[in-house]
Amino acid sequence: MREDIINLKNNAIGQIMDTDSDKELEELRIEYLGRNGKINEFLIDLKKLKPDERKDVGILINESKKTIESTLNDKIENLTQFKVDTKEWFDLTAPGVKSEIGNLHAQTKVLTEILNQFSYLGYQIADGPEVESDYYNFEVLNFPKDHPARDAQQTMFFDVTGTKFKPGELIPRTHTSAMQGRVMQKMKPPFRVVVPGRCFRYEQIDASHGVDFWQVEGFAVDKNITFTDLLGTIEYVLKGVFGSDAQIRFATTFFPFVEPGVDTYLKCTVCKGKGCSFCKKSGWSEIMPAGMIHPNVLSTCKIDPKVWRGFAFAIGLSRVVTLKYKIDDLRTLTNPDLRILKQY
Amino acid sequence: MKAPISWLKEYVDITSNINDLMWKMTEIGLTCESYDEIEGDKILDIEVTPNRPDWLSITGIAREIAIIENSKLTLPKLSDIPKPTQNLPINISFKTNLTGGYAGITISGVKVGDSPAWMQKRLISIGLRPINNLVDITNYVMFELGCPIHVFDYDKFLSTDLSMQLSKGSEEFVSVDGLKYKLPPDTLIIKDTNRVIDLCGIKGGQNTGISDSTKNVFIHTPIYNGSYIRKTSQALKLKSDASYIYERGPNPKIIPDTLKRVVTLVLELAGGEVASKPIFKIDKFIKDKIISFDLDDLNKFLGISIQKELVLKILEHLDFSPKITGATIKCIVPNFRSDVNLVEDIYEEIARIYSYNKFPRTLPSGKMASVKIPYFYDREFELVLKNIVSSAGYFEISSGALTSKEIIEKSGLNPENHIRIANPVSAEYEFMRTSLIPTLLAGIKVNTQENLKIFEYGKVYFAPVEKATEVYKISSALRNSTFENIKGLVDLVLEKLNIANYEIKPFAISHGLWHPNRAGVIEMDGEELGIFGEISPMVLHNFGIKGNIFGFELDMANLKKFQNSYLFKPIPKFPPQIEDITLIIKGKTEVGKVINEIKMTKFVDDVTMLGTYQNTITLRINYSDVNKTLTDKEVAEIRKSILGTLSKKFGVKQK
């Protein structure tokens, strides 16, 4: 009988807690506490017990009754107190109030995405001078003086009047590849390095050219690096940045500091390869020139090309940003109009 | 380089459709992304990389297409030069060794007229203007075979003894197209007597040019040292198709064939008779380059195993005459491939013809460096700072690093401290910036928002150029606000970096960009963390900005140096005692120092300023002890001690 009482109490509490309906609560009150309710039934049965048991069971019944009563009363009180008018009209579409936060520039965000890919592959970030010497910008990289390979990099040079330098010896660097020699001359392989930074070219400014722009250079040197590792690294990074469905293809090209030379084309993410103004109607965007580091470059940096091999590549950061945001004019990236900045 | 399909087809069968052909060409290095259509012919627009002078000719391109199309290259038929039947002697002496080869011949009795229509059409399609049969033939053969040719009017020579030499400087030269040049020293020239008749490798002279009445001609096809031609071409800002080819180094072995081809065409299209024996001078005996490599090394380099038979087939195709002994392959580099010198060059040849896109894509398996690389850059720190400032409501801008003298002067800065570009694209981009504030002001100017908040992160550069200092700054600007707001941002940034006890000082020397009194320097242990405050009204006036602008420019390196990692403090177990006190401040008392003094007192947890009224300030002070709740009596004693110090140090009293 004790067990039955406890079960009855627990059932009652469970049912009370489960309902939010006034009507059901009233029904439960009658069911358990009413004149012909279940508690009263137990009280009647009490008489059937032996006198020495009656007292304890009687106490249990009374306690259970009180518990059910108080649970029921609490529930009714809660329901009335927090009852809301379900018919009340409320406009959920009314505008909210936004906290005033600022925003990072698209270039910062995209650069972070790119550098994250490299960090997963164990690359460390380096940063170096933009006021650079002809030596690191060209000579270390196997660009002889007076060689037409330099034509591809229209170069500005600093006014060196009054210094020991000859005109042309100090230049605003034309590519982040200038950091290859700086790092390689100071460190023994193996290493994996990525260098984001500003570069400068003598260019007339228009929708696709600027006097300064950003590159992300990467290079790795190790004993067993292969050509397929270069292709795989490019694919890994571009898929990381543009999504796993990004399509890339490779072509042969020439830069004095690599051999073999590789050019990377990304299927235009704007038109999906149909041809548009972003890809000059070709459906593909040239995005990441690369190659195996030329043995002359390694030798110049006192790294034995018979023991070590490396690869290098460069990403045009501004190009990636414009592709990701579908911006058709490079000058947008340096436009400080808040109507633009808010969209990044 | 333009290449008409119809012309290419003279040397090679092309069956691929145009788009496939263009991609296959691009894939092996002959980058071709577009073509023009002229009278039913497709003219490919090809980007020739500077390592491949052999591709600066239609036959050179056809040779490469033959590999893609798996067809045979048929070069133009060459006839031997007939024996001279006339005698127009010519003698050339070489006073420099800057020729890699030379061939020349005289022809008499030619008839100058138009070249045939087929030749004119081809020249026009590659962007040349037909002139007359003789000049057109030289251009045609240059583009056909890749070696420049020049034709002189023999009768205009003042002497039949010519000399090739270097200029002394300031000689005058008038080119065939009538332009006058004063020559720099060390320019390669040809003289008859004392006249310059040829600016070698770039342009022929007007004094010996072909005219309608020309009857006898001297034709030559020389090879010059490319870097000399390039220097002159750059010095005179004068380029030609010939100089473009010479800079890249044409194949000296092609000279005899070139002369044969020109002579054949001249005799056929302009008539005349050979009037001298050909002059041939091949200075150096050019040896065949031999490169051997091991198949195993090739495969280790590439990362896959390419079958031996396929490697040999590719090298055959490329005319590298491979011979295999064991696992070693010996190649003889064909003479038109000046770019192939190392085994890596051969590896590229195999890889590109095999197709880069057939390679698997793998990731390096080696070890990573276990130490920090040189030039290591802490980008995490950059992002921490950018995130603090942007979460405070500031929008990041990005601008160029070059600026103009005008902007520098408008900003109250001194052009002397700026690194200058000697050949700027325009005056707008002549100097490297020394502050980010001017571009922020330009940003303020283009926006209309009243409470605009913008910031920029980037490098600034200081002269002298030979010891240039490049430092990263983070700078902000906000419009029509109050000093408290920019000060609050400075405090917030420094608090987030856990930099305490920094000092704010007025400028020792006034700074043109900033307000002389309402801006100052933030210092830590005597080093400058940055500048903040109000921008000089004069500068704002110069920029045409109304209202006031506040900003800061903080030095990244010093922020990084003085930042501290934050150590967790448990929350106090005992409630603090909080009280507000109002102090009477004497004029010119620095409130910041008063507050710092209070903060340094034992049991003072925090001090905030609630407000100022006339000559008073009201501060809220939190007192607490980690070990117990402070009693009113204890707080009263601390307060007494604070007031004593304040009175002594600042003459400040409680109201």
Side-chain angles (χ1 to χ4, degrees), chain A residues 102-103 105 108 127 130-131 151 157 159 212 227 229 235 250 252 261 336 338, chain B residues 27 230 301 348 356-357 361-362 375 390 396 401 420 422-423 447 461 470 472:
Chain A
N103 196 12
H105 196 274
T108 298
D127 178 63
E130 291 165 32
V131 177
D151 286 353
F157 45 91
D159 179 358
D212 56 352
F227 186 63
D229 289 342
E235 181 179 64
F250 298 110
T252 313
L338 209 60
Chain B
E27 196 187 20
R230 183 176 163 82
F301 182 95
E348 176 180 91
Y356 284 3
N357 294 293
R361 298 164 184 181
T362 58
Y375 298 96
S390 75
E396 187 186 10
R420 198 182 84 84
N423 61 333
N447 284 291
Y461 318 79
E470 300 181 20
Y472 279 103

mmCIF file of all heavy atoms in Angstrom, chain A residues 102-103 105 108 127 130-131 151 157 159 212 227 229 235 250 252 261 336 338, chain B residues 27 230 301 348 356-357 361-362 375 390 396 401 420 422-423 447 461 470 472:
data_model
loop_
_atom_site.group_PDB
_atom_site.id
_atom_site.type_symbol
_atom_site.label_atom_id
_atom_site.label_comp_id
_atom_site.label_asym_id
_atom_site.label_seq_id
_atom_site.Cartn_x
_atom_site.Cartn_y
_atom_site.Cartn_z
ATOM 1 N N GLY A 102 32.477 48.244 -36.100
ATOM 2 C CA GLY A 102 33.124 48.583 -37.360
ATOM 3 C C GLY A 102 33.283 47.338 -38.206
ATOM 4 O O GLY A 102 32.550 46.367 -38.021
ATOM 5 N N ASN A 103 34.237 47.375 -39.113
ATOM 6 C CA ASN A 103 34.423 46.225 -39.990
ATOM 7 C C ASN A 103 35.858 46.184 -40.479
ATOM 8 O O ASN A 103 36.485 47.218 -40.655
ATOM 9 C CB ASN A 103 33.470 46.340 -41.184
ATOM 10 C CG ASN A 103 33.315 45.026 -41.915
ATOM 11 O OD1 ASN A 103 33.737 43.989 -41.416
ATOM 12 N ND2 ASN A 103 32.721 45.067 -43.095
ATOM 13 N N HIS A 105 38.645 45.361 -43.420
ATOM 14 C CA HIS A 105 38.663 45.497 -44.873
ATOM 15 C C HIS A 105 38.681 44.118 -45.536
ATOM 16 O O HIS A 105 39.240 43.163 -44.983
ATOM 17 C CB HIS A 105 39.911 46.279 -45.270
ATOM 18 C CG HIS A 105 39.865 46.815 -46.658
ATOM 19 N ND1 HIS A 105 40.252 46.072 -47.749
ATOM 20 C CD2 HIS A 105 39.445 48.011 -47.134
ATOM 21 C CE1 HIS A 105 40.091 46.810 -48.842
ATOM 22 N NE2 HIS A 105 39.603 47.986 -48.493
ATOM 23 N N THR A 108 41.992 42.396 -45.599
ATOM 24 C CA THR A 108 42.398 41.763 -44.340
ATOM 25 C C THR A 108 41.733 40.402 -44.206
ATOM 26 O O THR A 108 42.366 39.412 -43.836
ATOM 27 C CB THR A 108 41.976 42.653 -43.152
ATOM 28 O OG1 THR A 108 42.644 43.896 -43.260
ATOM 29 C CG2 THR A 108 42.344 42.010 -41.824
ATOM 30 N N ASP A 127 57.929 38.916 -43.064
ATOM 31 C CA ASP A 127 57.641 40.264 -43.545
ATOM 32 C C ASP A 127 58.980 40.956 -43.766
ATOM 33 O O ASP A 127 59.869 40.852 -42.925
ATOM 34 C CB ASP A 127 56.826 41.007 -42.477
ATOM 35 C CG ASP A 127 56.523 42.430 -42.891
ATOM 36 O OD1 ASP A 127 55.824 42.594 -43.899
ATOM 37 O OD2 ASP A 127 56.990 43.369 -42.219
ATOM 38 N N GLU A 130 60.160 46.878 -48.073
ATOM 39 C CA GLU A 130 59.598 47.285 -49.363
ATOM 40 C C GLU A 130 60.565 48.226 -50.080
ATOM 41 O O GLU A 130 60.515 48.356 -51.293
ATOM 42 C CB GLU A 130 58.238 47.957 -49.134
ATOM 43 C CG GLU A 130 57.208 46.943 -48.651
ATOM 44 C CD GLU A 130 55.955 47.567 -48.059
ATOM 45 O OE1 GLU A 130 55.553 48.656 -48.498
ATOM 46 O OE2 GLU A 130 55.389 46.946 -47.133
ATOM 47 N N VAL A 131 61.409 48.889 -49.307
ATOM 48 C CA VAL A 131 62.516 49.638 -49.899
ATOM 49 C C VAL A 131 63.617 48.598 -50.073
ATOM 50 O O VAL A 131 64.246 48.175 -49.114
ATOM 51 C CB VAL A 131 62.986 50.783 -48.979
ATOM 52 C CG1 VAL A 131 64.195 51.493 -49.586
ATOM 53 C CG2 VAL A 131 61.850 51.764 -48.737
ATOM 54 N N ASP A 151 61.605 43.279 -68.132
ATOM 55 C CA ASP A 151 60.557 44.108 -68.728
ATOM 56 C C ASP A 151 59.186 43.810 -68.153
ATOM 57 O O ASP A 151 58.327 44.678 -68.087
ATOM 58 C CB ASP A 151 60.495 43.889 -70.246
ATOM 59 C CG ASP A 151 61.664 44.559 -70.941
ATOM 60 O OD1 ASP A 151 62.406 45.289 -70.257
ATOM 61 O OD2 ASP A 151 61.820 44.354 -72.154
ATOM 62 N N PHE A 157 62.356 53.458 -59.403
ATOM 63 C CA PHE A 157 63.551 53.424 -58.565
ATOM 64 C C PHE A 157 63.645 54.686 -57.731
ATOM 65 O O PHE A 157 63.082 55.716 -58.073
ATOM 66 C CB PHE A 157 64.816 53.160 -59.388
ATOM 67 C CG PHE A 157 64.935 53.941 -60.654
ATOM 68 C CD1 PHE A 157 65.567 55.169 -60.659
ATOM 69 C CD2 PHE A 157 64.403 53.451 -61.850
ATOM 70 C CE1 PHE A 157 65.678 55.893 -61.839
ATOM 71 C CE2 PHE A 157 64.511 54.178 -63.029
ATOM 72 C CZ PHE A 157 65.146 55.405 -63.022
ATOM 73 N N ASP A 159 65.156 57.920 -55.631
ATOM 74 C CA ASP A 159 66.109 59.005 -55.765
ATOM 75 C C ASP A 159 67.235 58.737 -54.763
ATOM 76 O O ASP A 159 67.005 58.735 -53.560
ATOM 77 C CB ASP A 159 65.380 60.312 -55.430
ATOM 78 C CG ASP A 159 66.294 61.517 -55.509
ATOM 79 O OD1 ASP A 159 67.495 61.332 -55.794
ATOM 80 O OD2 ASP A 159 65.805 62.632 -55.291
ATOM 81 N N ASP A 212 50.762 50.382 -56.660
ATOM 82 C CA ASP A 212 51.103 49.381 -55.656
ATOM 83 C C ASP A 212 49.958 48.381 -55.509
ATOM 84 O O ASP A 212 48.806 48.693 -55.779
ATOM 85 C CB ASP A 212 51.548 49.967 -54.315
ATOM 86 C CG ASP A 212 50.544 50.923 -53.690
ATOM 87 O OD1 ASP A 212 49.557 51.266 -54.362
ATOM 88 O OD2 ASP A 212 50.756 51.323 -52.537
ATOM 89 N N PHE A 227 57.837 18.156 -57.997
ATOM 90 C CA PHE A 227 56.985 18.983 -58.842
ATOM 91 C C PHE A 227 55.510 18.736 -58.512
ATOM 92 O O PHE A 227 54.717 19.670 -58.473
ATOM 93 C CB PHE A 227 57.283 18.635 -60.308
ATOM 94 C CG PHE A 227 56.591 19.500 -61.306
ATOM 95 C CD1 PHE A 227 56.849 20.859 -61.390
ATOM 96 C CD2 PHE A 227 55.683 18.947 -62.206
ATOM 97 C CE1 PHE A 227 56.212 21.651 -62.333
ATOM 98 C CE2 PHE A 227 55.041 19.741 -63.150
ATOM 99 C CZ PHE A 227 55.310 21.088 -63.217
ATOM 100 N N ASP A 229 54.348 17.997 -55.667
ATOM 101 C CA ASP A 229 54.075 18.682 -54.401
ATOM 102 C C ASP A 229 53.705 20.142 -54.654
ATOM 103 O O ASP A 229 52.856 20.703 -53.962
ATOM 104 C CB ASP A 229 55.308 18.648 -53.481
ATOM 105 C CG ASP A 229 55.587 17.260 -52.929
ATOM 106 O OD1 ASP A 229 54.672 16.421 -52.966
ATOM 107 O OD2 ASP A 229 56.719 17.025 -52.460
ATOM 108 N N GLU A 235 46.868 23.582 -55.430
ATOM 109 C CA GLU A 235 45.476 23.137 -55.423
ATOM 110 C C GLU A 235 44.877 23.228 -54.017
ATOM 111 O O GLU A 235 43.762 23.709 -53.831
ATOM 112 C CB GLU A 235 45.377 21.697 -55.944
ATOM 113 C CG GLU A 235 43.946 21.192 -55.972
ATOM 114 C CD GLU A 235 43.854 19.773 -56.513
ATOM 115 O OE1 GLU A 235 44.404 18.849 -55.874
ATOM 116 O OE2 GLU A 235 43.246 19.605 -57.564
ATOM 117 N N PHE A 250 46.929 24.011 -65.054
ATOM 118 C CA PHE A 250 48.287 24.533 -65.056
ATOM 119 C C PHE A 250 48.811 24.692 -66.473
ATOM 120 O O PHE A 250 48.414 23.961 -67.375
ATOM 121 C CB PHE A 250 49.214 23.574 -64.296
ATOM 122 C CG PHE A 250 48.838 23.401 -62.857
ATOM 123 C CD1 PHE A 250 48.312 22.203 -62.393
ATOM 124 C CD2 PHE A 250 49.002 24.451 -61.964
ATOM 125 C CE1 PHE A 250 47.973 22.044 -61.056
ATOM 126 C CE2 PHE A 250 48.656 24.298 -60.623
ATOM 127 C CZ PHE A 250 48.139 23.094 -60.169
ATOM 128 N N THR A 252 52.600 25.995 -68.751
ATOM 129 C CA THR A 252 54.034 26.276 -68.687
ATOM 130 C C THR A 252 54.252 27.781 -68.821
ATOM 131 O O THR A 252 53.573 28.436 -69.600
ATOM 132 C CB THR A 252 54.754 25.583 -69.860
ATOM 133 O OG1 THR A 252 54.297 24.242 -69.931
ATOM 134 C CG2 THR A 252 56.255 25.619 -69.684
ATOM 135 N N GLY A 261 58.700 26.362 -64.888
ATOM 136 C CA GLY A 261 57.804 27.448 -64.516
ATOM 137 C C GLY A 261 56.355 27.025 -64.727
ATOM 138 O O GLY A 261 56.044 26.335 -65.691
ATOM 139 N N PRO A 336 37.794 54.674 -49.754
ATOM 140 C CA PRO A 336 37.395 54.678 -48.342
ATOM 141 C C PRO A 336 35.916 55.019 -48.119
ATOM 142 O O PRO A 336 35.526 55.368 -47.011
ATOM 143 C CB PRO A 336 38.301 55.761 -47.750
ATOM 144 C CG PRO A 336 38.523 56.722 -48.876
ATOM 145 C CD PRO A 336 38.406 55.951 -50.163
ATOM 146 N N LEU A 338 32.364 54.694 -47.068
ATOM 147 C CA LEU A 338 31.741 53.803 -46.080
ATOM 148 C C LEU A 338 30.719 52.872 -46.727
ATOM 149 O O LEU A 338 30.500 51.746 -46.271
ATOM 150 C CB LEU A 338 31.066 54.650 -44.999
ATOM 151 C CG LEU A 338 30.982 54.013 -43.618
ATOM 152 C CD1 LEU A 338 32.356 53.707 -43.071
ATOM 153 C CD2 LEU A 338 30.234 54.933 -42.656
ATOM 154 N N GLU B 27 49.216 25.705 -72.611
ATOM 155 C CA GLU B 27 49.671 24.692 -71.659
ATOM 156 C C GLU B 27 51.163 24.403 -71.807
ATOM 157 O O GLU B 27 51.856 24.188 -70.820
ATOM 158 C CB GLU B 27 48.863 23.404 -71.848
ATOM 159 C CG GLU B 27 48.997 22.470 -70.672
ATOM 160 C CD GLU B 27 48.353 21.118 -70.907
ATOM 161 O OE1 GLU B 27 48.130 20.759 -72.084
ATOM 162 O OE2 GLU B 27 48.090 20.423 -69.922
ATOM 163 N N ARG B 230 69.910 46.471 -75.926
ATOM 164 C CA ARG B 230 68.900 46.852 -74.936
ATOM 165 C C ARG B 230 69.246 48.187 -74.277
ATOM 166 O O ARG B 230 68.382 49.044 -74.102
ATOM 167 C CB ARG B 230 68.812 45.749 -73.881
ATOM 168 C CG ARG B 230 67.763 45.971 -72.836
ATOM 169 C CD ARG B 230 67.703 44.778 -71.899
ATOM 170 N NE ARG B 230 67.001 45.106 -70.676
ATOM 171 C CZ ARG B 230 65.682 45.100 -70.547
ATOM 172 N NH1 ARG B 230 64.927 44.793 -71.588
ATOM 173 N NH2 ARG B 230 65.101 45.417 -69.403
ATOM 174 N N PHE B 301 62.490 14.152 -59.137
ATOM 175 C CA PHE B 301 62.219 15.584 -59.243
ATOM 176 C C PHE B 301 60.742 15.823 -59.517
ATOM 177 O O PHE B 301 60.102 16.661 -58.893
ATOM 178 C CB PHE B 301 63.082 16.158 -60.375
ATOM 179 C CG PHE B 301 62.933 17.648 -60.568
ATOM 180 C CD1 PHE B 301 63.828 18.529 -59.967
ATOM 181 C CD2 PHE B 301 61.920 18.175 -61.358
ATOM 182 C CE1 PHE B 301 63.704 19.895 -60.145
ATOM 183 C CE2 PHE B 301 61.793 19.545 -61.534
ATOM 184 C CZ PHE B 301 62.689 20.406 -60.929
ATOM 185 N N GLU B 348 61.764 20.368 -67.439
ATOM 186 C CA GLU B 348 60.597 21.172 -67.822
ATOM 187 C C GLU B 348 60.089 20.757 -69.201
ATOM 188 O O GLU B 348 58.881 20.649 -69.422
ATOM 189 C CB GLU B 348 60.905 22.670 -67.824
ATOM 190 C CG GLU B 348 59.704 23.495 -68.312
ATOM 191 C CD GLU B 348 59.940 24.995 -68.344
ATOM 192 O OE1 GLU B 348 60.376 25.514 -69.383
ATOM 193 O OE2 GLU B 348 59.662 25.656 -67.325
ATOM 194 N N TYR B 356 51.360 19.268 -67.762
ATOM 195 C CA TYR B 356 51.299 19.562 -66.326
ATOM 196 C C TYR B 356 49.992 19.039 -65.728
ATOM 197 O O TYR B 356 49.923 18.698 -64.556
ATOM 198 C CB TYR B 356 51.345 21.079 -66.087
ATOM 199 C CG TYR B 356 52.700 21.745 -66.247
ATOM 200 C CD1 TYR B 356 53.823 21.030 -66.649
ATOM 201 C CD2 TYR B 356 52.850 23.103 -65.974
ATOM 202 C CE1 TYR B 356 55.050 21.667 -66.799
ATOM 203 C CE2 TYR B 356 54.064 23.747 -66.105
ATOM 204 C CZ TYR B 356 55.165 23.035 -66.518
ATOM 205 O OH TYR B 356 56.366 23.671 -66.646
ATOM 206 N N ASN B 357 48.948 18.998 -66.546
ATOM 207 C CA ASN B 357 47.638 18.649 -66.000
ATOM 208 C C ASN B 357 47.411 17.148 -65.884
ATOM 209 O O ASN B 357 46.361 16.715 -65.419
ATOM 210 C CB ASN B 357 46.545 19.338 -66.811
ATOM 211 C CG ASN B 357 46.634 20.845 -66.626
ATOM 212 O OD1 ASN B 357 46.397 21.344 -65.538
ATOM 213 N ND2 ASN B 357 47.056 21.546 -67.668
ATOM 214 N N ARG B 361 48.471 15.473 -57.891
ATOM 215 C CA ARG B 361 48.753 16.633 -57.050
ATOM 216 C C ARG B 361 48.958 16.134 -55.624
ATOM 217 O O ARG B 361 48.067 15.557 -55.030
ATOM 218 C CB ARG B 361 47.599 17.635 -57.155
ATOM 219 C CG ARG B 361 47.470 18.145 -58.598
ATOM 220 C CD ARG B 361 46.168 18.834 -58.898
ATOM 221 N NE ARG B 361 46.088 19.201 -60.319
ATOM 222 C CZ ARG B 361 45.063 19.836 -60.869
ATOM 223 N NH1 ARG B 361 44.020 20.163 -60.133
ATOM 224 N NH2 ARG B 361 45.081 20.128 -62.147
ATOM 225 N N THR B 362 50.167 16.329 -55.111
ATOM 226 C CA THR B 362 50.509 15.787 -53.786
ATOM 227 C C THR B 362 50.950 16.919 -52.861
ATOM 228 O O THR B 362 51.131 18.050 -53.313
ATOM 229 C CB THR B 362 51.666 14.779 -53.907
ATOM 230 O OG1 THR B 362 52.780 15.459 -54.504
ATOM 231 C CG2 THR B 362 51.292 13.592 -54.771
ATOM 232 N N TYR B 375 62.885 37.096 -40.272
ATOM 233 C CA TYR B 375 61.840 38.018 -40.746
ATOM 234 C C TYR B 375 60.435 37.574 -40.318
ATOM 235 O O TYR B 375 59.442 37.928 -40.944
ATOM 236 C CB TYR B 375 61.860 38.180 -42.278
ATOM 237 C CG TYR B 375 63.119 38.773 -42.827
ATOM 238 C CD1 TYR B 375 64.139 37.962 -43.311
ATOM 239 C CD2 TYR B 375 63.309 40.151 -42.857
ATOM 240 C CE1 TYR B 375 65.312 38.490 -43.810
ATOM 241 C CE2 TYR B 375 64.469 40.701 -43.372
ATOM 242 C CZ TYR B 375 65.472 39.863 -43.846
ATOM 243 O OH TYR B 375 66.618 40.402 -44.356
ATOM 244 N N SER B 390 38.183 47.724 -34.612
ATOM 245 C CA SER B 390 36.946 47.594 -35.389
ATOM 246 C C SER B 390 35.762 47.281 -34.479
ATOM 247 O O SER B 390 34.651 47.733 -34.736
ATOM 248 C CB SER B 390 37.094 46.555 -36.501
ATOM 249 O OG SER B 390 37.058 45.261 -35.972
ATOM 250 N N GLU B 396 37.773 49.657 -41.321
ATOM 251 C CA GLU B 396 39.134 49.638 -41.845
ATOM 252 C C GLU B 396 39.162 50.103 -43.292
ATOM 253 O O GLU B 396 38.357 49.655 -44.113
ATOM 254 C CB GLU B 396 39.725 48.225 -41.766
ATOM 255 C CG GLU B 396 41.200 48.208 -42.140
ATOM 256 C CD GLU B 396 41.824 46.818 -42.223
ATOM 257 O OE1 GLU B 396 41.081 45.813 -42.183
ATOM 258 O OE2 GLU B 396 43.052 46.748 -42.343
ATOM 259 N N ALA B 401 50.603 53.293 -50.724
ATOM 260 C CA ALA B 401 51.716 53.745 -49.885
ATOM 261 C C ALA B 401 52.414 54.968 -50.469
ATOM 262 O O ALA B 401 53.294 55.526 -49.845
ATOM 263 C CB ALA B 401 52.717 52.608 -49.714
ATOM 264 N N ARG B 420 61.928 59.474 -51.887
ATOM 265 C CA ARG B 420 61.361 59.928 -53.152
ATOM 266 C C ARG B 420 61.625 58.938 -54.275
ATOM 267 O O ARG B 420 62.699 58.343 -54.349
ATOM 268 C CB ARG B 420 61.971 61.279 -53.535
ATOM 269 C CG ARG B 420 61.184 62.061 -54.582
ATOM 270 C CD ARG B 420 61.879 63.368 -54.942
ATOM 271 N NE ARG B 420 62.908 63.146 -55.962
ATOM 272 C CZ ARG B 420 62.665 63.105 -57.270
ATOM 273 N NH1 ARG B 420 61.437 63.305 -57.737
ATOM 274 N NH2 ARG B 420 63.635 62.872 -58.121
ATOM 275 N N ALA B 422 62.398 58.337 -58.102
ATOM 276 C CA ALA B 422 63.032 59.170 -59.131
ATOM 277 C C ALA B 422 62.223 59.183 -60.429
ATOM 278 O O ALA B 422 62.263 60.153 -61.180
ATOM 279 C CB ALA B 422 64.452 58.676 -59.391
ATOM 280 N N ASN B 423 61.519 58.100 -60.700
ATOM 281 C CA ASN B 423 60.742 58.028 -61.942
ATOM 282 C C ASN B 423 59.268 57.741 -61.637
ATOM 283 O O ASN B 423 58.743 56.698 -61.994
ATOM 284 C CB ASN B 423 61.305 56.933 -62.863
ATOM 285 C CG ASN B 423 61.250 55.553 -62.222
ATOM 286 O OD1 ASN B 423 61.275 55.423 -60.999
ATOM 287 N ND2 ASN B 423 61.161 54.524 -63.041
ATOM 288 N N ASN B 447 33.436 60.882 -47.247
ATOM 289 C CA ASN B 447 32.228 60.384 -46.594
ATOM 290 C C ASN B 447 31.429 61.530 -45.990
ATOM 291 O O ASN B 447 31.983 62.564 -45.636
ATOM 292 C CB ASN B 447 32.599 59.370 -45.512
ATOM 293 C CG ASN B 447 32.992 58.031 -46.100
ATOM 294 O OD1 ASN B 447 32.163 57.324 -46.652
ATOM 295 N ND2 ASN B 447 34.279 57.703 -46.006
ATOM 296 N N TYR B 461 57.225 54.891 -44.068
ATOM 297 C CA TYR B 461 58.625 54.755 -44.478
ATOM 298 C C TYR B 461 59.340 56.083 -44.249
ATOM 299 O O TYR B 461 58.825 57.127 -44.636
ATOM 300 C CB TYR B 461 58.699 54.418 -45.976
ATOM 301 C CG TYR B 461 57.664 53.408 -46.418
ATOM 302 C CD1 TYR B 461 56.334 53.782 -46.641
ATOM 303 C CD2 TYR B 461 58.007 52.071 -46.606
ATOM 304 C CE1 TYR B 461 55.379 52.858 -47.033
ATOM 305 C CE2 TYR B 461 57.065 51.143 -47.001
ATOM 306 C CZ TYR B 461 55.748 51.537 -47.212
ATOM 307 O OH TYR B 461 54.803 50.621 -47.602
ATOM 308 N N GLU B 470 61.196 51.275 -41.973
ATOM 309 C CA GLU B 470 59.828 50.927 -42.351
ATOM 310 C C GLU B 470 59.144 50.427 -41.090
ATOM 311 O O GLU B 470 59.617 49.467 -40.494
ATOM 312 C CB GLU B 470 59.839 49.812 -43.394
ATOM 313 C CG GLU B 470 60.574 50.191 -44.663
ATOM 314 C CD GLU B 470 60.549 49.081 -45.707
ATOM 315 O OE1 GLU B 470 59.682 48.198 -45.638
ATOM 316 O OE2 GLU B 470 61.425 49.123 -46.592
ATOM 317 N N TYR B 472 55.304 49.619 -39.008
ATOM 318 C CA TYR B 472 53.857 49.473 -39.093
ATOM 319 C C TYR B 472 53.175 50.404 -38.099
ATOM 320 O O TYR B 472 53.614 50.526 -36.957
ATOM 321 C CB TYR B 472 53.445 48.031 -38.785
ATOM 322 C CG TYR B 472 53.612 47.112 -39.954
ATOM 323 C CD1 TYR B 472 54.676 46.228 -40.020
ATOM 324 C CD2 TYR B 472 52.691 47.138 -41.003
ATOM 325 C CE1 TYR B 472 54.824 45.376 -41.101
ATOM 326 C CE2 TYR B 472 52.830 46.293 -42.087
ATOM 327 C CZ TYR B 472 53.900 45.406 -42.132
ATOM 328 O OH TYR B 472 54.036 44.582 -43.203
#
